[in-house]
Amino acid sequence: MERIPLSKSSRVREECLKGKVHCSKLAVELGINRKTVARYIKEFNEIRQLYPNQVKNVSFRLPPKKRERTQLYHDLMVLLPVLIDRAITPCLMVTHLWADYRSVYPHGYGLFWFGAHYNIWRNEHQICRYSHRRVRSISPGEEKILLIWRNAGSRERWQKATVILGSFANRPLSEMMAQVEKTRDTLLIWIDHFKTGSIALLDKQHYTTSPDLLELVRVKQENLTKLLHQTPQLHGFNRASWRVADLCVAYQQVYQLPISRSCALENLHKMGLGYYKSRELLTSPDPDFRPKLDHIKQILTHLGERERFFSVDEYGPFAIKMKIGRSFTPAGQIKTVAQAQKSKGFIIVTAALELAHNQVSHIYSYKKNTDEIIKLIDVLLIEYRDTDKLYLSWDAASWHASKKLDGHLVHINSEGYRLEHGTPRVELAPLPVSAQFLNVIESVFSGLAKAVIHNSDYQSVDECRKAIDCHFHARNAHYKKHPLKAGKKIWGSEIVVPEFNEGKHAKSLTGMRGARA
């Protein structure tokens, strides 16, 4: 019934309470239709009969009357699930469903009323446009496997299990799309695969990458990394840093293979490389970069069973105080570390990584100078007394090339000293200038920092030293017990694989931005 302002309906109610009402006169007075006044009078009489307590409540209205549904409507409600189940179109369309309905009920609803009843029923039962393609049956064995997938660590299996179980529970496709972050077509393909071939077809990888293609990509990335380790001047470019365009030209000149700018950028992104502001360089300006690198590779290629190759460097100095780092904390809480702290001391770790068996030897120093390097060499001479030759590789720090160190090497390599002490011969294989990225022990130091330095709060220098000793002891024990796994990451602590490879970086690339040219 058409509603009039509350003030006018209240006036009609008041006149009804007084007694007999003159419809025409009241309609003229209120400026409304006479029939409208009559309907409100009729409503008042029904309220007085059915709800006597609400007679004086001018805002009360009769509840809407339910329409009596015809047999044609009830037949439609029974038939709608059948129509959806036997639909063969890619998605549910009202016109197609209505045509199927009229084939059963030629004198049934027209398209308009069929669509109106169908839309109300569809919303009440959460029927989406693709409900007819849902999974209709799952065996107990398949359900058990899908539940395992849903709780497993594989994201792809979790997505597939969520979709299949959700489809079986008649969840809307749009809801599952938002949850698993996949397109509608992908979800429908998974559902069709399950309905066609069960779990086996669903779990099958429907695409394969050629091993030859994967090998080409790996070689291409290693070659790009080798070029980044060299300065552009070595390849005829008068620049201090690489541009992607120059990198492509140099790649074609050196390896006689074309590479596009987009391909180079894509591979740089995959390797985590890009342009970023830093004081550390990925290039070496040493004009003898290639001869020095070839010399080291020659030594490692022909390294004998009684020979050892060491990567030597210093870690520190670092202060003994509360350090920042990652740790498990309650949601909404942030662990804070005071910027100004009183140091409890400092530590410098001078260490050597033996590449053949992946063993670390270390000492603690108070300075970075030649004397500390000599101490480390003397430790290695005693520890590897049963070998014939030791190769030492380090960066171009001044104390690694001092006259005092040269004199000490001449002394310990003399025949008299070696016969008296039974020690091996020591030879140097220095790295190119500014080529810390080739110093393999840097990855070990990265693992050390992540394991026992970051997020620490040692109370003394001795406590910190014990933690470092324990870390290296456990690391060495692991590689002695698993020699075939030498070069693998240990406990997930080391950022990169500790092995000599000019196509890799020994330091972490954390913080590098995407490549731009």
Side-chain angles (χ1 to χ4, degrees):
M1 182 173 64
E2 179 185 358
R3 293 298 177 186
I4 60 177
L6 184 61
S7 59
K8 296 182 180 182
S9 62
S10 300
R11 178 67 186 282
V12 174
R13 187 75 61 88
E14 291 173 359
E15 293 297 326
C16 290
L17 289 173
K18 291 179 182 179
K20 189 175 181 180
V21 181
H22 195 287
C23 293
S24 299
K25 182 179 178 180
L26 187 59
V28 172
E29 182 181 346
L30 297 177
I32 59 178
N33 190 280
R34 177 180 176 278
K35 293 182 178 180
T36 302
V37 176
R39 283 199 300 268
Y40 272 87
I41 294 174
K42 181 180 179 182
E43 181 187 41
F44 171 77
N45 292 330
E46 291 181 2
I47 292 175
R48 182 161 50 185
Q49 181 180 358
L50 299 175
Y51 305 95
N53 296 332
Q54 301 292 339
V55 170
K56 295 183 179 181
N57 184 2
V58 295
S59 61
F60 179 76
R61 292 290 179 268
L62 287 173
K65 296 180 179 179
K66 293 184 179 181
R67 292 184 58 185
E68 292 294 333
R69 298 297 186 181
T70 63
Q71 185 61 37
L72 191 62
Y73 174 84
H74 294 295
D75 293 341
L76 176 62
M77 293 298 104
V78 174
L79 187 60
L80 277 177
V82 179
L83 295 177
I84 290 176
D85 287 343
R86 68 186 191 185
I88 59 175
T89 54
C91 63
L92 295 175
M93 302 293 291
V94 176
T95 53
H96 296 153
L97 292 173
W98 176 73
D100 197 9
Y101 164 75
R102 289 300 289 265
S103 66
V104 181
Y105 288 91
H107 303 290
Y109 286 112
L111 179 60
F112 175 81
W113 282 110
F114 175 87
H117 292 315
Y118 167 72
N119 287 331
I120 295 174
W121 178 84
R122 183 170 64 89
N123 293 331
E124 290 177 351
H125 293 80
Q126 294 185 336
I127 303 297
C128 74
R129 297 174 63 193
Y130 302 91
S131 292
H132 63 300
R133 300 176 61 176
R134 67 183 179 88
V135 176
R136 304 189 182 281
S137 63
I138 299 178
S139 66
E142 291 172 341
E143 184 179 9
K144 183 178 180 180
I145 294 175
L146 290 172
L147 290 175
I148 293 175
W149 284 11
R150 196 169 62 179
N151 299 323
S154 172
R155 176 172 176 79
E156 183 178 359
R157 284 189 167 183
W158 167 79
Q159 291 172 326
K160 292 180 178 179
T162 301
V163 170
I164 300 304
L165 293 174
S167 177
F168 181 66
N170 203 19
R171 288 180 59 190
L173 207 63
S174 58
E175 182 181 316
M176 294 188 291
M177 286 166 52
Q179 181 179 2
V180 302
E181 298 178 344
K182 288 293 184 179
T183 63
R184 178 185 293 109
D185 291 341
T186 300
L187 267 62
L188 292 174
I189 289 173
W190 288 348
I191 292 172
D192 291 342
H193 283 166
F194 180 81
K195 292 167 63 177
T196 304
S198 189
I199 291 287
L201 185 59
L202 181 66
D203 196 34
K204 182 180 178 182
Q205 186 176 357
H206 297 278
Y207 62 90
T208 57
T209 304
S210 170
D212 296 337
L213 181 60
L214 292 176
E215 179 63 19
L216 289 175
V217 172
R218 185 191 66 79
V219 172
K220 185 176 295 184
Q221 291 180 357
E222 285 195 1
N223 291 340
L224 285 171
T225 305
K226 293 176 184 178
L227 289 177
L228 287 175
H229 288 168
Q230 306 170 29
T231 58
Q233 290 89 342
L234 294 178
H235 297 273
F237 300 101
N238 188 26
R239 293 184 59 84
S241 60
W242 283 104
R243 296 185 310 171
V244 177
D246 298 338
L247 196 63
C248 295
V249 174
Y251 188 95
Q252 186 166 358
Q253 291 175 351
V254 175
Y255 301 107
Q256 303 300 314
L257 292 171
I259 184 172
S260 66
R261 183 179 182 277
S262 59
C263 181
L265 278 174
E266 182 181 358
N267 283 280
L268 290 172
H269 278 300
K270 289 180 179 179
M271 293 186 292
L273 298 174
Y275 293 121
Y276 69 106
K277 293 182 180 180
S278 177
R279 293 183 180 179
E280 298 179 347
L281 300 177
L282 287 175
T283 58
S284 172
D286 195 337
D288 297 327
F289 177 89
R290 180 55 57 184
K292 290 181 179 179
L293 182 60
D294 291 340
H295 176 61
I296 293 174
K297 293 172 68 175
Q298 182 71 13
I299 293 174
L300 292 175
T301 303
H302 300 89
L303 194 67
E305 294 183 1
R306 294 180 58 82
E307 295 178 344
R308 299 291 184 268
F309 190 98
F310 294 89
S311 176
V312 181
D313 204 359
E314 299 85 8
Y315 178 74
F318 61 92
I320 308 300
K321 58 183 181 180
M322 183 179 293
K323 300 287 187 179
I324 61 174
R326 295 178 178 271
S327 61
F328 288 104
T329 54
Q333 296 185 15
I334 300 178
K335 182 179 179 180
T336 58
V337 176
Q339 184 175 6
Q341 299 183 55
K342 184 177 180 181
S343 174
K344 307 178 185 69
F346 70 92
I347 287 180
I348 298 175
V349 180
T350 304
L353 172 65
E354 196 277 303
L355 300 188
H357 300 85
N358 218 343
Q359 299 293 300
V360 178
S361 303
H362 71 286
I363 62 172
Y364 297 101
S365 308
Y366 292 98
K367 294 181 180 180
K368 289 184 177 182
N369 56 25
T370 301
D371 293 335
E372 301 303 323
I373 293 296
I374 290 176
K375 291 180 183 178
L376 179 63
I377 293 175
D378 292 340
V379 170
L380 295 177
L381 289 176
I382 297 174
E383 186 174 351
Y384 292 90
R385 191 189 300 269
D386 57 342
T387 59
D388 295 335
K389 185 181 291 186
L390 306 181
Y391 293 97
L392 304 181
S393 178
W394 45 45
D395 55 30
S398 59
W399 55 88
H400 292 162
S402 64
K403 293 182 179 180
K404 185 176 181 180
L405 178 61
D406 292 340
H408 183 71
L409 292 176
V410 171
H411 173 63
I412 62 177
N413 284 334
S414 63
E415 293 295 333
Y417 183 91
R418 293 181 59 200
L419 289 174
E420 179 181 355
H421 298 88
T423 56
R425 183 176 181 81
V426 178
E427 289 189 11
L428 302 183
L431 294 169
V433 177
S434 300
Q436 294 87 349
F437 49 84
L438 294 177
N439 205 356
V440 186
I441 198 173
E442 292 286 1
S443 68
V444 177
F445 287 153
S446 296
L448 169 69
K450 185 176 180 181
V452 299
I453 303 300
H454 295 171
N455 204 47
S456 66
D457 186 17
Y458 298 112
Q459 300 304 310
S460 65
V461 172
D462 291 339
E463 184 180 352
C464 183
R465 285 185 175 183
K466 289 180 181 179
I468 295 174
D469 292 341
C470 183
H471 174 79
F472 282 136
H473 175 75
R475 185 189 187 282
N476 291 341
H478 173 82
Y479 282 113
K480 285 181 180 179
K481 185 177 180 180
H482 306 283
L484 295 179
K485 296 183 179 180
K488 301 281 186 179
K489 295 179 182 179
I490 181 171
W491 310 308
S493 299
E494 291 172 6
I495 307 302
V496 297
V497 177
E499 61 182 9
F500 188 85
N501 188 338
E502 64 169 316
K504 296 183 179 179
H505 305 286
K507 281 194 173 183
S508 171
L509 297 175
T510 303
M512 299 185 70
R513 299 175 183 173
R516 297 192 302 268

